[in-house]
Amino acid sequence: MKIGFIGLGVMGRPMAQHLIEAGHELYLYRVKPASAHLVDGGATACASASQVARSAEVIILMLPDTPDVEHVLFDEGGVAEGIEPGKLIIDMSSISPLATKDFAARIEAWGCDYVDAPVSGGEVGAKAASLTIMAGGKPEAFERAKPLFEKMGKNITLIGGVGDGQIAKVANQIVVALNIQAVSEAIRFSRKAGADPTVVRKALLGGFAASRVLEIHGERMINEAFEPGFRMRLHHKDLSLALESARLLELMLPNTAMVHQLMNSALEKGLGDTDHSALIKAL
């Protein structure tokens, strides 16, 4: 299949690599030195998003934020200039659910399908092709996309209509953020109280407190190994989406707001491009 892929960051690069290894013909935009190996592996570099859209049957986006997706889709030289009826747009970015519904309506007006499919699992999951993929869209569009999802992830769920994938991702980010805060506090408490946090973490992993956050990020916190698997500034953005959506829904998310403020502090300390487990430094 001819696939366009736009967004070759920390997670996008291995996701694109899996599709190449599966035998698909990839067309890429914004190829930088870090992603040049994909071209060496057989992908084609394009000069614009519209060229990607003209070349591919399916166009996948993996971009940082809502304005980035809107720019790539609809600005001059964007995807919308290169699409024609029958093509499929898959947005795997984590962006606003409300904006997603608007983008989908505009793309569908050209006779194309649109699926939002944000992911969870970070760089580790992207490299292992074990991402959790939360999709929103028409069932027939999802079924068309699913064979591609299966090359990038393991837990693949159609949540509902367009935008519902983004709602699930926001919910995911709330849970992960609060878990990171909890693990940060537990490790700081253990160390300050005089116990070895490495041994405490090992004990907790055998009980009801066990979690992927404690397993992976707990170790990062203890070792102060904060190379980004998922950047703090992107998780901060996701919590901003959660709080803005909650405001519109007249819904209280008090603990989410608290972690959002801790992330504000982390960003002020220059930690925006570290892993989100560096939240412990804000404490």
Side-chain angles (χ1 to χ4, degrees):
M1 183 182 292
K2 295 181 177 181
I3 301 170
F5 204 108
I6 303 173
L8 302 169
V10 168
M11 294 179 65
R13 289 192 296 272
M15 292 165 70
Q17 181 68 48
H18 293 313
L19 294 173
I20 293 170
E21 291 171 355
H24 295 292
E25 187 176 328
L26 259 66
Y27 295 86
L28 312 175
Y29 176 49
R30 293 178 176 169
V31 175
K32 297 179 180 179
S35 49
H37 66 281
L38 298 172
V39 176
D40 295 338
T44 300
C46 296
S48 67
S50 58
Q51 184 182 351
V52 169
R54 281 191 290 270
S55 303
E57 307 160 57
V58 177
I59 301 95
I60 297 174
L61 309 182
M62 186 61 181
L63 298 164
D65 205 349
T66 307
D68 302 295
V69 174
E70 184 170 24
H71 166 72
V72 165
L73 286 176
F74 302 113
D75 280 5
E76 184 177 354
V79 167
E81 288 186 5
I83 58 175
E84 57 190 29
K87 296 200 173 186
L88 171 63
I89 311 300
I90 303 172
D91 181 23
M92 304 188 78
S93 319
S94 296
I95 67 168
S96 163
L98 294 178
T100 292
K101 294 177 186 291
D102 174 62
F103 298 164
R106 292 159 72 181
I107 291 296
E108 288 170 353
W110 273 286
C112 299
D113 285 324
Y114 195 102
V115 172
D116 63 297
V119 304
S120 179
E123 183 182 12
V124 172
K127 287 182 174 179
S130 62
L131 292 169
T132 291
I133 301 175
M134 298 156 271
K138 297 174 182 175
E140 59 270 25
F142 171 75
E143 289 301 323
R144 186 178 170 191
K146 191 175 180 181
L148 303 180
F149 294 155
E150 289 171 344
K151 301 303 179 184
M152 298 180 281
K154 297 295 184 186
N155 182 20
I156 303 161
T157 307
L158 177 61
I159 306 296
V162 168
D164 286 356
Q166 298 294 351
I167 292 170
K169 177 58 187 288
V170 169
N172 179 87
Q173 296 303 77
I174 292 170
V175 172
V176 172
L178 270 60
N179 268 274
I180 289 175
Q181 184 211 7
V183 171
S184 296
E185 292 187 8
I187 287 173
R188 278 188 52 78
F189 170 77
S190 301
R191 181 178 282 132
K192 241 354 190 180
D196 184 342
T198 301
V199 179
V200 171
R201 170 182 164 274
K202 182 179 179 181
L204 296 181
L205 284 171
F208 203 56
S211 70
R212 291 285 285 164
V213 170
L214 179 61
E215 177 188 353
I216 295 171
H217 291 332
E219 184 175 26
R220 287 182 170 185
M221 292 171 190
I222 291 167
N223 296 331
E224 295 193 350
F226 298 127
E227 286 298 312
F230 185 67
R231 296 179 192 273
M232 181 86 71
R233 59 180 172 81
L234 296 179
H235 204 155
H236 178 266
K237 176 264 298 182
D238 291 341
L239 294 191
S240 297
L241 291 175
L243 294 172
E244 174 60 18
S245 298
R247 185 186 66 81
L248 295 173
L249 293 168
E250 298 182 344
L251 174 70
M252 286 183 63
L253 298 176
N255 292 316
T256 301
M258 180 176 60
V259 179
H260 187 256
Q261 287 300 314
L262 283 172
M263 287 189 177
N264 281 342
S265 176
L267 266 58
E268 288 173 4
K269 294 176 183 294
L271 297 172
D273 285 319
T274 62
D275 189 79
H276 53 171
S277 58
L279 182 70
I280 192 170
K281 287 186 169 290
L283 292 171

